[in-house]
Amino acid sequence: MRRIFFWAHFAMGLAAGVFILLMSVTGVLLTYERQMVAAAQNAAVETPAGAEPLSVDALADAALAAGGAPGNTLTIQRNAGHVSTLSKGRRDNVLLDPYTGETLEGAGEGTEAFFGRVMRIHRWLAFTGGRNDVGAAINGAANLVFGALLISGIVLWWPRRWKWPFVKTQLFFRRGLPNAKARHYNWHHVLAAWSFVPLFLIIVSGAVFSYSWANKLVYAAFGETPGGQGKGRVAAAAPPPVFTGDILPLDSLIAQATEDFPNWRRVSITLPKPDAATLDVSVDWGNGTQASKKRSLTVARDGSGLIGAPVGDTSSPALKARRYLRFVHTGEIYGLIGQTLAGLASIAGMILVYTGISLAIRRLIRMRNSGKA
């Protein structure tokens, strides 16, 4: 049985190794994409000597002047020197200078373009242009093969006798090995053991993005179907307050909203209509992708306080699972540590491909020489 697993592992590795290597390399490059894009955007802000950042009301006026409208979202960072973002649609965002309110044209565009290209290669093998359906099919299949390689590799890795002197040679790097073949054999086994869990999560979540059947399985596990309403139970809304005409500044309302969240990092407000009695606020103390670290609140604009309790993620269980898979793929669901682990797992994937192909080529050479003999 082990012989069957070995030759299956051998053949799959040779067939898909190059594509797995490319996905691993691009995965490493994408490890800190979010932070690097944000840093490039914030670098476009020039802090005037002695200047104070604009108030939230002034930023809201600047957002309206930049083409925003009531119902759009304005996001303000905890660091007052970082850009504010007006979101008019899913992909229609405008960056605003926190000191002048001016639109920051081109801020971080080069960095975004670079990571956008890396992402398209990672997902679709698209070295130029947009989505490449053939490349997407190849990468999707290579991802599944990578999963089969992990499973067959663990079968081959599994010690026949669980005795520590032997097991530790499978778990730790060894020094003083006589040649490259022995080193690559040791690296291959050790990295496969330590990176199995994060690589398995990356592969499974990648399959959900690549295949509709995998996406449907996630929803089916919770008795739902894709495209459904996707909302959980929401508590009955409190009756809206009576508008008195006295409106507090947005800074004061945000201070009320964040009073119970002293470690908040960013606040998003829905730009209100002039006569609106309430303000919708979203407080985020995570990295922007962690739904468990976000709360939605409604604040009375006359300063009388919160209306109802803060609300967490109200998505259905299937949508929560789908979002979890989306950000476990990048590690962002676990913050900076998760991103780092995902990046290290991608580096391990690169070395696994390199050592696997190295060992396979050596075996092929031995087989050819044996045939000649």
Side-chain angles (χ1 to χ4, degrees), residues 1-12 152 155-156 160 363 367:
M1 181 61 70
R2 288 177 70 91
R3 182 178 291 273
I4 293 173
F5 273 97
F6 171 80
W7 286 110
H9 190 83
F10 183 91
M12 289 187 296
S152 59
V155 172
L156 296 171
R160 299 187 186 206
R363 177 172 284 271
M367 291 168 60

Side-chain angles (χ1 to χ4, degrees), residues 122-168:
H122 183 76
R123 297 183 64 184
W124 309 317
L125 279 181
F127 291 90
T128 59
R131 179 184 172 90
N132 178 354
D133 289 334
V134 174
I138 292 173
N139 270 8
N143 182 59
L144 293 181
V145 171
F146 197 10
L149 284 168
L150 273 186
I151 294 171
S152 59
I154 285 297
V155 172
L156 296 171
W157 176 92
W158 200 262
R160 299 187 186 206
R161 293 180 301 169
W162 282 88
K163 299 210 171 186
W164 180 243
F166 175 74
V167 172
K168 73 178 182 179

Side-chain angles (χ1 to χ4, degrees), residues 8-9 33 48 54 95 127 201-202 226 262 288 302 306 329:
H9 190 83
E33 174 191 7
L54 296 177
L95 302 179
F127 291 90
L201 289 173
I202 290 170
D302 62 4
L306 301 184
H329 189 78

Side-chain angles (χ1 to χ4, degrees), residues 166-187:
F166 175 74
V167 172
K168 73 178 182 179
T169 66
Q170 306 285 79
L171 288 175
F172 300 103
F173 295 114
R174 298 170 61 192
R175 294 182 179 180
L177 294 172
N179 51 46
K181 175 188 172 184
R183 286 195 301 274
H184 292 172
Y185 184 86
N186 176 240
W187 296 353

Side-chain angles (χ1 to χ4, degrees), residues 89-258:
R90 184 177 178 183
R91 298 185 184 278
D92 187 3
N93 298 318
V94 178
L95 302 179
L96 301 174
D97 188 304
Y99 292 98
T100 65
E102 296 177 355
T103 301
L104 294 171
E105 298 288 349
E109 278 188 358
T111 305
E112 283 189 288
F114 169 76
F115 284 114
R117 178 52 59 197
V118 174
M119 176 63 75
R120 288 188 283 276
I121 295 171
H122 183 76
R123 297 183 64 184
W124 309 317
L125 279 181
F127 291 90
T128 59
R131 179 184 172 90
N132 178 354
D133 289 334
V134 174
I138 292 173
N139 270 8
N143 182 59
L144 293 181
V145 171
F146 197 10
L149 284 168
L150 273 186
I151 294 171
S152 59
I154 285 297
V155 172
L156 296 171
W157 176 92
W158 200 262
R160 299 187 186 206
R161 293 180 301 169
W162 282 88
K163 299 210 171 186
W164 180 243
F166 175 74
V167 172
K168 73 178 182 179
T169 66
Q170 306 285 79
L171 288 175
F172 300 103
F173 295 114
R174 298 170 61 192
R175 294 182 179 180
L177 294 172
N179 51 46
K181 175 188 172 184
R183 286 195 301 274
H184 292 172
Y185 184 86
N186 176 240
W187 296 353
H188 200 74
H189 283 72
V190 171
L191 289 173
W194 288 103
S195 64
F196 178 83
V197 172
L199 282 177
F200 186 76
L201 289 173
I202 290 170
I203 290 166
V204 170
S205 55
V208 172
F209 308 148
S210 300
Y211 296 103
S212 60
W213 57 263
N215 187 51
K216 289 176 182 177
L217 282 176
V218 175
Y219 283 86
F222 296 92
E224 300 178 34
T225 56
Q229 187 176 359
K231 289 287 183 181
R233 292 185 177 180
V234 181
V242 177
F243 183 58
T244 63
D246 298 325
I247 300 176
L248 261 64
L250 291 175
D251 292 89
S252 298
L253 299 178
I254 288 177
Q256 286 184 353
T258 58

Side-chain angles (χ1 to χ4, degrees), residues 261-323:
F261 308 97
N263 57 338
W264 67 275
R265 293 186 181 181
R266 63 193 61 80
V267 168
S268 298
I269 64 170
T270 301
L271 293 176
K273 294 180 179 179
D275 59 348
T278 60
L279 177 72
D280 291 328
V281 182
S282 175
V283 182
D284 184 348
W285 63 94
N287 60 11
T289 68
Q290 299 162 296
S292 63
K293 295 185 177 182
K294 293 181 181 180
R295 293 294 182 272
S296 297
L297 310 94
T298 301
V299 185
R301 293 181 74 192
D302 62 4
S304 57
L306 301 184
I307 300 172
V311 178
D313 186 6
T314 60
S315 302
S316 69
L319 277 178
K320 289 180 180 178
R322 183 66 172 76
R323 188 181 298 113

